[in-house]
């Protein structure tokens, strides 16, 4: 069968079939569609304000590499007026993170975006290699996830930014919905599909790739010849998320729209008021000043457990009881530095959904809704 012409421009030969829509396009039209859908997501959710200082969470992987590139392109194309920074967290995983950081440094040079690297060792006095040597591989992802989230906020505070963007894509969010359902995690289920989160004591975070399929991000990186690091974390093969990921891939193979369908289902979930009333109110950690639902934040509890040789202190009730029975914390125990919110807070109106939308090559009616003013 002869190659079809691009469904959008009608001129060039179609070489890409979009996993998200099944649409067959040429390379240049695929780039435009992908970038414009991300732009529409940004403007419809009013993610940014002119003058915002925005940190891009950069790991060197495909998602963060494409995010950095697309954010630079859109910032220049639509005059967002953002000051962009790359923010990388070095967990201290030999043979994995040290290699991926070299990719981030190359991205810094290629894109001309300033880079800040903050390490677990610098912040907590522990690398993930050291954590795994003490706790094993059963719960290491819990330590890394908690430490990483706080490290991102602290790195952003050091850069004095208003906003953190991460490369979480549609597949990631759908997996999280499935995980929270399987675990019965009502608190997280109510907020895991939010495109933007912010508390009084945290820096605003958003996910511009919320509706972007993972396969399309890979295709974009491939056809743009972007440099990214593709090796999986050596400590993550047994992570619980892997089960949700495998299930989602099976669903997507049978029904490509399953990824977006699950996200929309998650958006429709509402937590009953009586359930909300049983959830702990947010406060600040009495030790480090970071947000917490307990007297000590999760990171401080995990770190104290490591320091005192009670690795499961922040993991299980038995570990917590062991920590309480051990008595007061030693005066010379390592603790996390006090957290301060950035002083830079902008009050200018956000980028509106009415921002000018580009026209497609050819008849826009063939775009299958890709350029609507609401998320795809």
């Amino acid at each position: 069968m002869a190659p079809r012409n691009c469904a959008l421009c009608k001129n060039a030969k179609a070489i890409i079939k979009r996993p998200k829509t099944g649409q067959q396009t040429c390379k240049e039209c695929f780039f435009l569609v992908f970038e414009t859908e991300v732009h529409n997501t940004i403007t419809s959710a009013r993610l940014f304000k002119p003058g915002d200082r925005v940190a891009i969470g950069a790991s060197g992987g495909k998602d963060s590499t494409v995010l950095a590139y697309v954010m630079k392109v859109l910032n220049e194309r639509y005059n967002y007026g953002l000051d962009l920074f790359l923010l990388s967290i070095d967990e201290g995983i030999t043979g994995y993170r040290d290699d991926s950081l070299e990719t981030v440094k190359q991205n810094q040079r290629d894109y001309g975006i300033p880079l800040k690297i903050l390490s677990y060792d610098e912040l907590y006095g522990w690398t993930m290699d050291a954590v795994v040597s003490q706790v094993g591989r059963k719960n290491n992802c819990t330590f890394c996830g908690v430490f990483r989230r706080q490290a991102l906020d602290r790195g952003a505070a050091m850069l004095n930014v208003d906003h953190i963007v991460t490369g979480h894509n549609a597949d990631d969010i759908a997996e999280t919905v499935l995980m929270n359902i399987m675990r019965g995690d009502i608190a997280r289920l109510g907020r895991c599909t939010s495109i933007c989160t912010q508390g009084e004591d945290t820096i605003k975070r958003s996910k511009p790739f919320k509706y972007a399929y993972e396969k399309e991000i890979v295709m974009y990186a491939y056809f743009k010849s972007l440099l990214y690091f593709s090796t999986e974390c050596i400590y993550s093969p047994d992570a619980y998320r892997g089960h949700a990921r495998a299930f989602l891939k099976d669903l997507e193979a049978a029904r490509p729209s399953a990824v977006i369908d699950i996200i929309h289902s998650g958006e429709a979930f509402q937590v009953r008021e009586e359930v909300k009333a049983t959830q702990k109110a947010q406060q600040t950690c009495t030790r480090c000043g970071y947000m917490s639902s307990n007297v000590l934040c999760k990171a401080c509890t995990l770190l104290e457990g490591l320091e005192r040789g009670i690795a499961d202190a922040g993991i299980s009730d038995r570990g917590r009881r062991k920590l309480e029975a051990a008595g007061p914390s030693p005066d010379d125990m390592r603790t996390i530095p006090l957290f301060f919110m950035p002083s830079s807070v902008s009050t200018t109106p956000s980028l509106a959904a009415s921002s000018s939308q580009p026209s497609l090559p050819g008849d826009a009616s063939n775009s299958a809704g890709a350029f609507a003013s609401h998320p795809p």
Side-chain angles (χ1 to χ4, degrees):
M1 182 183 294
R4 297 185 180 182
N5 283 348
C6 172
L8 300 179
C9 70
K10 309 296 185 183
N11 297 318
K13 296 298 181 183
I15 63 170
I16 296 172
K17 182 176 181 180
R18 296 188 64 193
K20 184 176 182 179
T21 63
Q23 198 174 46
Q24 297 185 35
T25 71
C26 67
K27 188 164 60 174
E28 294 304 318
C29 284
F30 169 68
F31 294 154
L32 183 58
V33 169
F34 183 89
E35 292 160 2
T36 306
E37 287 184 355
V38 176
H39 169 67
N40 290 342
T41 299
I42 288 171
T43 54
S44 62
R46 300 173 180 265
L47 294 185
F48 308 119
K49 302 181 291 295
D52 271 356
R53 293 168 60 86
V54 179
I56 302 167
S59 66
K62 64 184 186 312
D63 300 312
S64 64
T65 296
V66 173
L67 178 62
Y69 181 87
V70 170
M71 285 294 298
K72 178 178 171 64
V73 167
L74 298 182
N75 191 37
E76 295 171 352
R77 180 183 297 166
Y78 298 108
N79 298 314
Y80 288 172
L82 307 178
D83 290 328
L84 299 178
F85 301 85
L86 297 176
L87 174 58
S88 291
I89 306 302
D90 180 2
E91 301 94 341
I93 303 175
T94 304
Y96 169 69
R97 183 56 71 213
D98 46 357
D99 291 341
S100 69
L101 285 176
E102 292 305 312
T103 302
V104 175
K105 293 172 184 176
Q106 184 61 50
N107 290 340
Q108 175 199 14
R109 294 188 286 270
D110 292 342
Y111 307 156
I113 304 175
L115 169 65
K116 166 69 178 176
I117 300 175
L118 178 62
S119 71
Y120 281 9
D121 192 28
E122 175 186 350
L123 185 57
Y124 306 113
W126 287 75
T127 65
M128 275 308 297
D129 286 341
V131 171
V132 172
S133 70
Q134 179 161 326
V135 308
R137 298 199 178 199
K138 183 176 182 181
N139 294 305
N140 63 85
C141 288
T142 298
F143 284 83
C144 195
V146 171
F147 286 171
R148 182 177 178 79
R149 178 174 181 81
Q150 191 168 145
L152 275 171
D153 275 339
R154 289 175 178 274
M158 292 175 182
L159 289 169
N160 197 31
V161 301
D162 311 279
H163 198 140
I164 303 169
V165 292
T166 60
H168 292 94
N169 58 49
D171 298 60
D172 295 326
I173 296 170
E175 289 165 12
T176 303
V177 172
L178 293 174
M179 287 171 62
N180 289 331
I181 290 173
M182 290 188 286
R183 293 189 300 204
D185 195 331
I186 300 300
R188 288 189 175 88
L189 186 58
R191 62 177 185 265
C192 68
T193 57
S194 298
I195 191 171
C196 187
T197 57
Q198 182 179 28
E200 294 181 2
D201 303 306
T202 57
I203 297 169
K204 183 178 181 181
R205 288 189 186 214
S206 63
K207 300 181 276 283
F209 282 174
K210 177 180 176 180
Y211 299 104
Y213 274 36
E214 181 179 50
K215 289 178 181 177
E216 297 203 353
I217 292 172
V218 173
M219 290 168 62
Y220 186 95
Y222 175 78
F223 285 109
K224 281 284 187 181
S225 299
L226 302 181
L227 177 68
Y228 67 91
F229 185 77
S230 58
T231 302
E232 184 181 13
C233 175
I234 59 175
Y235 296 138
S236 69
D238 298 324
Y240 185 65
R241 178 176 288 274
H243 301 292
R245 179 174 295 126
F247 180 51
L248 181 64
K249 294 305 180 190
D250 288 342
L251 292 176
E252 185 185 6
R255 177 186 171 93
S257 67
V259 176
I260 291 294
D261 292 342
I262 291 171
I263 293 175
H264 289 325
S265 296
E267 291 170 336
F269 283 127
Q270 292 185 338
V271 181
R272 295 199 305 267
E273 290 301 320
E274 55 267 36
V275 175
K276 289 182 181 178
T278 65
Q279 296 174 3
K280 295 180 180 180
Q282 288 293 319
Q283 53 185 304
T284 55
C285 175
T286 57
R287 183 173 293 168
C288 75
Y290 192 71
M291 68 168 184
S292 175
S293 56
N294 296 297
V295 175
L296 289 183
C297 70
K298 190 76 167 178
C300 281
T301 303
L302 291 172
L303 181 59
E304 182 173 351
L306 289 171
E307 289 289 315
R308 304 180 71 178
I310 309 173
D312 59 344
I315 304 294
S316 66
D317 289 338
R318 186 180 69 173
R320 179 180 53 80
R321 289 192 295 269
K322 286 166 62 178
L323 187 63
E324 291 172 351
S329 305
D331 292 337
D332 60 349
M333 186 185 75
R334 278 181 294 196
T335 58
I336 306 172
L338 196 61
F339 177 72
F340 294 99
M341 285 284 286
S343 59
S344 167
V345 179
S346 178
T347 57
T348 311
S350 301
L351 294 168
S354 59
S355 296
S356 59
Q357 305 294 329
S359 299
L360 270 176
D363 184 0
S365 64
N366 291 318
S367 64
F371 290 84
S373 61
H374 52 77

